[in-house]
Amino acid sequence: MLPSIALIALLFSLNTRAESVISQADSTLLYNETFLDTVQIQSGRPINDYSMLGVQYGYSMCRVSWNPQKKQESQFLPINVGVYYTKYGKMFNYMPYFGFKFGLFYAQEGYRFQQNDSGSELVLDLKTKESSAVMTTVEVPFLAHLHVDFWKMKIMADIGLYGGYRLSIDRRGDNVEEAFKNSFTDYNNRWDYGLKGGAGIGFVFDPIEIHLMASVKYSMSSLYRPDYNSPYYYRFAYPYNFIFSVGIHYQLTKREGRTNKELRDEARRRLELELNEIR
């Protein structure tokens, strides 16, 4: 009788241990991150799927890429102001680090020639004969946006294209021709286009965000037609600007949702509840 009871007890113990091992294996499988990522969790809008509208002000350091080369100094200009609409979203519905920016800006850009050894300013070898110039422009940038959020901050980078128009020009210098002091010539290019990009950091105080950016704008539209002086020897002048700016942005929609880690934790909790109910 006793051996039979001992045998039954041993079998029961082995069965309990086997069930425990299987349960642990099932739990390991169920709680695997790859499996948890496949669990469908109904949630609010995914994190960072929101939009903003903001105002940005910047200070520019302006130069020109001359060909043939000319000695120059940087022009520092205080007007670079505009608005940006930003839309965040997920790439391939998975990576929550992307978005795009669309803007409208009013800005200044220009150039200044270096003084020669005698102290007099060099002049541009055109009929306008200015030694420096400041242009006002309007531009429309369209940029791809990358961002990584942490705590109450974000790291950002932009890259894209812009199109613009040169509205006016103020030519300066002792030898500038009066007729062209505030007007473009027939060989000046007024339509502008090129590349724009930058990087910066943001501070998030929902629903307000403050962005500090350092950007570069490179024009691919020369200031004048390349054959204006000679049909055989082309000349080019491509402006490029370094822009340091601060922006204040207002969140048009709520910055809400859950990260992948939060969704996995929610899936784990739901699976534990279902396993407890089965047991």
Side-chain angles (χ1 to χ4, degrees), residues 88-212:
Y88 291 100
K90 283 189 174 183
M91 181 175 283
F92 310 121
N93 200 32
Y94 179 71
M95 296 179 287
Y97 311 113
F98 299 92
F100 68 85
K101 297 171 69 173
F102 180 80
L104 177 64
F105 275 75
Y106 177 80
Q108 289 180 320
E109 61 183 18
Y111 51 86
R112 184 197 305 274
F113 294 103
Q114 200 174 56
Q115 291 185 343
N116 58 25
D117 295 336
S118 64
S120 61
E121 292 180 317
L122 300 176
V123 298
L124 188 60
D125 55 343
L126 302 173
K127 61 183 180 183
T128 52
K129 295 184 174 60
E130 71 270 16
S131 55
S132 68
V134 175
M135 293 171 287
T136 58
T137 66
V138 61
E139 66 182 62
V140 178
F142 184 81
L143 310 175
H145 182 67
L146 171 68
H147 65 104
V148 177
D149 295 15
F150 59 97
W151 188 54
K152 293 292 185 179
M153 298 178 64
K154 59 175 62 178
I155 298 174
M156 303 169 292
D158 302 327
I159 186 68
L161 305 172
Y162 79 90
Y165 187 73
R166 294 163 182 146
L167 297 171
S168 64
I169 187 168
D170 179 15
R171 305 180 197 271
R172 302 169 183 176
D174 296 335
N175 301 305
V176 64
E177 292 290 339
E178 193 67 28
F180 300 105
K181 187 174 182 180
N182 297 113
S183 63
F184 290 96
T185 66
D186 57 357
Y187 52 80
N188 282 134
N189 288 325
R190 300 186 65 176
W191 288 104
D192 189 20
Y193 60 91
L195 305 175
K196 189 172 186 178
I201 60 173
F203 301 91
V204 181
F205 308 98
D206 297 330
I208 300 296
E209 297 188 14
I210 300 174
H211 294 179
L212 304 178

Side-chain angles (χ1 to χ4, degrees), residues 46-64:
I47 190 168
N48 290 323
D49 281 16
Y50 67 103
S51 58
M52 296 187 304
L53 186 64
V55 178
Q56 183 170 299
Y57 170 79
Y59 191 86
S60 303
M61 182 181 75
C62 307
R63 296 177 70 88
V64 173

Side-chain angles (χ1 to χ4, degrees), residues 15 21 43 64 66 71 75 80 110 124 140 147-148 178 206 212 250 252-253 268:
N15 182 61
V21 170
S43 64
V64 173
W66 302 98
K71 293 183 179 181
Q75 274 269 54
N80 190 291
L124 188 60
V140 178
H147 65 104
V148 177
E178 193 67 28
D206 297 330
L212 304 178
Y250 180 78
L252 299 177
T253 55
R268 184 179 288 108

Side-chain angles (χ1 to χ4, degrees), residues 184-276:
F184 290 96
T185 66
D186 57 357
Y187 52 80
N188 282 134
N189 288 325
R190 300 186 65 176
W191 288 104
D192 189 20
Y193 60 91
L195 305 175
K196 189 172 186 178
I201 60 173
F203 301 91
V204 181
F205 308 98
D206 297 330
I208 300 296
E209 297 188 14
I210 300 174
H211 294 179
L212 304 178
M213 298 290 294
S215 305
V216 178
K217 186 183 78 169
Y218 185 84
S219 174
M220 299 175 69
S221 173
S222 179
L223 292 176
Y224 40 73
R225 293 199 319 267
D227 61 349
Y228 78 96
N229 193 53
S230 168
Y232 308 106
Y233 301 100
Y234 281 10
R235 297 169 180 264
F236 300 94
Y238 297 108
Y240 61 95
N241 305 330
F242 298 96
I243 307 161
F244 305 94
S245 60
V246 58
I248 299 177
H249 301 261
Y250 180 78
Q251 298 166 0
L252 299 177
T253 55
K254 288 186 177 180
R255 184 174 179 267
E256 62 181 36
R258 284 176 280 184
T259 63
N260 289 336
K261 181 180 182 303
E262 290 172 329
L263 290 173
R264 291 192 196 109
D265 291 342
E266 177 67 17
R268 184 179 288 108
R269 286 193 295 270
R270 294 193 181 189
L271 288 172
E272 288 175 349
L273 288 174
E274 292 179 3
L275 289 175
N276 290 333

